[in-house]
Amino acid sequence: MKIESIVENITINIDGQDVDVPKGINIIEAVKMAGKGKEVPHYCYHPKLSIAGNCRMCMVEMGMPMRDRTTGEAILEEDGSPKIGWMPKPTIGCATNASPGMHIRTHSDMVKESRNGVTEFLLINHPLDCPICDQAGECRLQEFSAEHGRGYSRFIEDKNVKPKRTRLGPRVTLDDERCILCSRCVRFSKEIANDDVLGFVDRGTYSTLTCYPGKELAHNYSLNTVDICPVGALTSTDFRFKMRVWFLKRTHSICTESSIGANTEIWSREGKIYRITPRRNDEVNDTWMTDSGRDLFKPIESEDRLTHYTIEGVHTTCDEAAASVVKLIQAGDVALVGSAHSSVEEQFFYKQIADRSGAKVSLVSHQGEGDGLLLSEDRSPNLRGALVTGLITDLPEASLETLACEINSGAVKTIFAVNEDLTELGISKEALAKVNVIYVGTHANATSEVASVVLPSLSVFEKDGTFINQSFRLQRFKAAVPGPRGIEPDYTVLEKIAAPLSQEKPASLTIDLVWERMAPKISQFDDSFRWRSLPDDGVALNASAFLDLDFVETKNLKYDPAAFKEAHAAPVEA
Amino acid sequence: MEHKETRLIFKHIDEPGYTNDIDCYMQHGGYEQLKKAVTMKPEDICAEVLTSGVRGRGGAGFPAGMKWKFLDRKSGKPIYLICNADESEPGTFKDRQIIHQDPHQLIEGMMCAAFAIQAKLAFIYIRGEFFQGYRILEKAIEEARSKNFLGDNILGSGYSCDIIVHRGAGAYICGEETGLIESLEGFRANPRIKPPYFPAALGAYQCPTIVNNVETLCDVKHIVEMGGEAFAKIGTPGNTGTRIWCVSGHVQKPGYYEFACADITLGQLIYDVCGGLKPGRKLKAVIPGGSSAKILRADERFKGKLKDGSEFDWGIEDIPMDFDSLAAVGSMSGSGGVIVMDDTTDMVEALANINYFYAHESCGQCTPCREGVPWMRKVTQRMVDGEAREEDADLLKSIADQIAGRTICAFGEAASWPVQSFIAKFKDEFVEKAKEQAARRKEGKATATETTLI
């Protein structure tokens, strides 16, 4: 099924070394594959955008084996190796595709000299304001200038003057003087975001990036232009001047905005998150993510965060709160309202609790409009996890009317609610007053206010775990920042509830111990799966058991429901 | 000595009483070749054009028949023909004359070519500033259409093709064929990267497209008339047909002159045909093929070997005016714009002028040209403004070397060749300029007299 298996490999020669690469791959990618830190420097080329070929940084020397014009036979050197006809001019690596026998030089004098020239040209009109530039530290121009530049300037004329601090849209600020006109942002808006608002005006050295008159760079993917900007021209209005990037710690995470499960990177320092950027995963989100997904870290510092274990509104310890929950559950007639926002590990425990207490489990779906790209209709990150762990067997509904009836009829005496505000889901405050409420969640709401026991939980940025996305891909996220003081990971707390329910002593758990317990019990998981050893780009699970379910997602960037069904229903090839 | 012009394309141009309407053109035997062409097999016309060896008159001098051969006919996509009438190379003014004085010759040549390559539609991309020419062409096309020389079922042959005249918006880069195509499609005239966008395969609207110069397309008409072999007999092998030389600069009689290739030398063209220099002046330099061609110094000796192996040893006056000879002396025949400079010319100012043009016209797409050419302009501007440094000559050369061969289109070469050649041949003047200004500065005088760049 994978594309790589179809494409035939060819051999090309890079700097005297034969390398096997897929046919048709361009030279930049081919050199990357040659490994050992080899790289063709480039600005305008982006693996997920069309080829523009305008920065001229990726120039390499190219040669092909010479052939006799009349006979078509290869001309050989004296030692029997094929004679290479080198092109007199350097050629751009991004638009040159590998063909059999091609020879590439990435470090010849001609190549070095042309990179040096391009670097000098890019710098003459560049403001060189690195000390106050947000891009410093992750700037391609800065890196390549150090690597390929001459180190001093021969330019004594006046630099061009262009607009500074232009507001391109609600989230993006532009400095035109820093812009090297690589057109990545223009191509992104046109090709990926399908909103062709960016373009160049004026000609030659006065070319200036700007928005279409009367329009703004306002689409929900605008911050990706900031990510792909190789220099500090496009900056995030939110992140601008907040923090030097080299001070920031990068943690791999998963976006919780929708069931897409975009791979992300959390940039934090001293327990504070500064920004979220996408992380490349060609199976999930390529190199993009939504703007809205990047704001999700902000609520973790909000005032209404739950920071203490409480029983009837009184602060208590985790152990006592857990014991109190156990007591409530053991009294019977429990209904569990799970969450598709919980991690796979947590859902595994909720399933255990439900099994051991005979609680009836319901889940609420959260839906919104999809955009066909990286925002799906299902606005929860882990609905598939609830299915895989067996917490639910059917797709959830949007409200809890059945449960409301059961409360009214007295069939339910205790509600164990996870991350859901029941008052917004068809259960009135009056109804809630009739039952005991156990609430697990990150933020206070009307349900937590009336809850007998409140167990504060950690946000995705503060805990380790996994989610399963729309295409049944198991993906791992790691804790980037510590949670509120004294709050234990959810699985530890849940163990303290689940174990006593079957007369066991709660074990002291780590995430890997949880996996040791969980992996053999879930048929979609390999027994050897451990959280720590999951690959960074996730694992595709066998989805065949769930193909009959009518998921809400429609076609988006990497997921086509019909094609997915077809691919997974087919017998797996040996 | 009298040199007789071989007027082929300009046969009737400037004839008393010759007008640009269709009746006059038909009285002079017009559209007979189109009538002949539509009875021929298209591939036969292509073969004749290939045999004729006619080379592109726009600047690069690439054989037109070969260009047609590269057409991707297997794709099943429609084929387009585009006439490049974006004549904007400084020193060139031949296409304008054809359009103004003999538009029907162009239309006939285009229709012959369109029929030969079986184009679905033909365009004339005319320079925006030629609005008079645009009106003349529109009128001429209307006339030709009414007589069924273009439009549906041309002359009953079953072949249909029309011509659309498209005006540029004023940019030199639109003369670059892929830039022209982008502009024609309605985008900024940013030249495309080649590969993969060779017009013969992926041209206008991603369909196979042929872009030819006005003069080249007129030649097609004459090739149909006389046959490829007869056409090839004009001029010398490899340099067939006639060329229109647009002479400007310090000569007594500037203007356009049509000669068979190699029929005349540069000296004869300047001294005999154009009446020589102004009295008391001496020849200093010649740019033989439009401002992007490399400059030739008057007191140089040109030695080397021609393509056929024969050796030559020429002074500037002995250079035969054709493609290969001008290439052999290190320049090019380009678009045929011969710019003559006498000894009153300040080479620094001349280069500043050329640089000003190219810096203004760079499209700004790729880095070396966008940044390098305006840098060269700033340097030469500073030099004429009185701030010249002795090292500027080397700096200019180095910048030009960093541009040539590194850009998306040939503009990089077009802009850096003048600089490279001016520095190679007149470096002493650039250094002298700096010394002179330094001396004046020492004396407390103004370092530069006021100069006006055109």
Side-chain angles (χ1 to χ4, degrees), chain A residues 412-426:
Chain A
V412 170
K413 299 227 168 59
T414 301
I415 296 184
F416 195 155
V418 184
N419 244 332
E420 302 285 6
D421 184 1
L422 303 177
T423 60
E424 285 182 0
L425 299 167

mmCIF file of all heavy atoms in Angstrom, chain A residues 412-426:
data_model
loop_
_atom_site.group_PDB
_atom_site.id
_atom_site.type_symbol
_atom_site.label_atom_id
_atom_site.label_comp_id
_atom_site.label_asym_id
_atom_site.label_seq_id
_atom_site.Cartn_x
_atom_site.Cartn_y
_atom_site.Cartn_z
ATOM 1 N N VAL A 412 -30.304 5.849 38.398
ATOM 2 C CA VAL A 412 -28.903 6.245 38.554
ATOM 3 C C VAL A 412 -28.785 7.078 39.814
ATOM 4 O O VAL A 412 -29.536 8.034 40.023
ATOM 5 C CB VAL A 412 -28.420 7.026 37.321
ATOM 6 C CG1 VAL A 412 -27.064 7.648 37.593
ATOM 7 C CG2 VAL A 412 -28.360 6.115 36.110
ATOM 8 N N LYS A 413 -27.820 6.708 40.647
ATOM 9 C CA LYS A 413 -27.650 7.460 41.884
ATOM 10 C C LYS A 413 -26.356 8.259 41.895
ATOM 11 O O LYS A 413 -26.205 9.242 42.610
ATOM 12 C CB LYS A 413 -27.653 6.485 43.081
ATOM 13 C CG LYS A 413 -28.942 5.715 43.210
ATOM 14 C CD LYS A 413 -29.440 5.725 44.649
ATOM 15 C CE LYS A 413 -30.860 5.225 44.782
ATOM 16 N NZ LYS A 413 -31.069 3.833 44.293
ATOM 17 N N THR A 414 -25.372 7.760 41.104
ATOM 18 C CA THR A 414 -24.075 8.436 41.066
ATOM 19 C C THR A 414 -23.644 8.619 39.609
ATOM 20 O O THR A 414 -23.744 7.692 38.811
ATOM 21 C CB THR A 414 -23.005 7.593 41.795
ATOM 22 O OG1 THR A 414 -23.438 7.397 43.142
ATOM 23 C CG2 THR A 414 -21.655 8.288 41.796
ATOM 24 N N ILE A 415 -23.161 9.817 39.325
ATOM 25 C CA ILE A 415 -22.636 10.066 37.978
ATOM 26 C C ILE A 415 -21.154 10.371 38.080
ATOM 27 O O ILE A 415 -20.731 11.233 38.856
ATOM 28 C CB ILE A 415 -23.359 11.236 37.299
ATOM 29 C CG1 ILE A 415 -24.839 10.893 37.078
ATOM 30 C CG2 ILE A 415 -22.703 11.544 35.963
ATOM 31 C CD1 ILE A 415 -25.586 11.963 36.325
ATOM 32 N N PHE A 416 -20.395 9.611 37.305
ATOM 33 C CA PHE A 416 -18.944 9.815 37.230
ATOM 34 C C PHE A 416 -18.705 10.535 35.904
ATOM 35 O O PHE A 416 -18.752 9.936 34.842
ATOM 36 C CB PHE A 416 -18.257 8.441 37.264
ATOM 37 C CG PHE A 416 -16.777 8.488 37.546
ATOM 38 C CD1 PHE A 416 -16.133 7.388 38.107
ATOM 39 C CD2 PHE A 416 -16.008 9.613 37.251
ATOM 40 C CE1 PHE A 416 -14.768 7.392 38.374
ATOM 41 C CE2 PHE A 416 -14.653 9.633 37.500
ATOM 42 C CZ PHE A 416 -14.024 8.526 38.067
ATOM 43 N N ALA A 417 -18.485 11.853 35.965
ATOM 44 C CA ALA A 417 -18.396 12.631 34.723
ATOM 45 C C ALA A 417 -16.956 13.006 34.433
ATOM 46 O O ALA A 417 -16.240 13.483 35.315
ATOM 47 C CB ALA A 417 -19.242 13.883 34.830
ATOM 48 N N VAL A 418 -16.541 12.735 33.221
ATOM 49 C CA VAL A 418 -15.169 13.049 32.828
ATOM 50 C C VAL A 418 -15.181 14.209 31.832
ATOM 51 O O VAL A 418 -15.670 14.064 30.708
ATOM 52 C CB VAL A 418 -14.483 11.823 32.188
ATOM 53 C CG1 VAL A 418 -13.029 12.153 31.872
ATOM 54 C CG2 VAL A 418 -14.578 10.621 33.099
ATOM 55 N N ASN A 419 -14.682 15.341 32.254
ATOM 56 C CA ASN A 419 -14.448 16.465 31.357
ATOM 57 C C ASN A 419 -15.672 17.023 30.649
ATOM 58 O O ASN A 419 -15.535 17.770 29.694
ATOM 59 C CB ASN A 419 -13.416 16.066 30.288
ATOM 60 C CG ASN A 419 -12.175 16.909 30.431
ATOM 61 O OD1 ASN A 419 -12.253 18.048 30.907
ATOM 62 N ND2 ASN A 419 -11.040 16.367 30.066
ATOM 63 N N GLU A 420 -16.866 16.626 31.062
ATOM 64 C CA GLU A 420 -18.054 17.138 30.386
ATOM 65 C C GLU A 420 -18.882 17.956 31.369
ATOM 66 O O GLU A 420 -19.048 17.569 32.518
ATOM 67 C CB GLU A 420 -18.934 15.980 29.869
ATOM 68 C CG GLU A 420 -18.239 15.031 28.926
ATOM 69 C CD GLU A 420 -18.054 15.606 27.526
ATOM 70 O OE1 GLU A 420 -18.371 16.803 27.319
ATOM 71 O OE2 GLU A 420 -17.593 14.859 26.660
ATOM 72 N N ASP A 421 -19.405 19.067 30.869
ATOM 73 C CA ASP A 421 -20.344 19.833 31.676
ATOM 74 C C ASP A 421 -21.735 19.286 31.400
ATOM 75 O O ASP A 421 -22.327 19.552 30.363
ATOM 76 C CB ASP A 421 -20.259 21.321 31.325
ATOM 77 C CG ASP A 421 -21.171 22.139 32.223
ATOM 78 O OD1 ASP A 421 -21.824 21.545 33.108
ATOM 79 O OD2 ASP A 421 -21.221 23.366 32.041
ATOM 80 N N LEU A 422 -22.233 18.485 32.347
ATOM 81 C CA LEU A 422 -23.491 17.772 32.107
ATOM 82 C C LEU A 422 -24.667 18.727 31.925
ATOM 83 O O LEU A 422 -25.619 18.415 31.224
ATOM 84 C CB LEU A 422 -23.773 16.816 33.268
ATOM 85 C CG LEU A 422 -22.652 15.802 33.537
ATOM 86 C CD1 LEU A 422 -23.007 14.952 34.745
ATOM 87 C CD2 LEU A 422 -22.425 14.920 32.320
ATOM 88 N N THR A 423 -24.556 19.908 32.532
ATOM 89 C CA THR A 423 -25.697 20.823 32.432
ATOM 90 C C THR A 423 -25.902 21.319 31.007
ATOM 91 O O THR A 423 -26.950 21.832 30.663
ATOM 92 C CB THR A 423 -25.493 22.038 33.354
ATOM 93 O OG1 THR A 423 -24.302 22.705 32.953
ATOM 94 C CG2 THR A 423 -25.384 21.620 34.801
ATOM 95 N N GLU A 424 -24.888 21.185 30.210
ATOM 96 C CA GLU A 424 -25.036 21.620 28.820
ATOM 97 C C GLU A 424 -25.433 20.472 27.906
ATOM 98 O O GLU A 424 -25.520 20.628 26.697
ATOM 99 C CB GLU A 424 -23.729 22.243 28.322
ATOM 100 C CG GLU A 424 -23.520 23.627 28.902
ATOM 101 C CD GLU A 424 -22.264 24.288 28.398
ATOM 102 O OE1 GLU A 424 -21.553 23.662 27.604
ATOM 103 O OE2 GLU A 424 -22.012 25.426 28.816
ATOM 104 N N LEU A 425 -25.602 19.288 28.487
ATOM 105 C CA LEU A 425 -25.851 18.121 27.648
ATOM 106 C C LEU A 425 -27.215 17.497 27.934
ATOM 107 O O LEU A 425 -27.417 16.308 27.748
ATOM 108 C CB LEU A 425 -24.745 17.076 27.892
ATOM 109 C CG LEU A 425 -23.341 17.578 27.544
ATOM 110 C CD1 LEU A 425 -22.293 16.634 28.099
ATOM 111 C CD2 LEU A 425 -23.182 17.725 26.046
ATOM 112 N N GLY A 426 -28.127 18.305 28.435
ATOM 113 C CA GLY A 426 -29.490 17.798 28.606
ATOM 114 C C GLY A 426 -29.812 17.352 30.014
ATOM 115 O O GLY A 426 -30.868 16.779 30.252
#
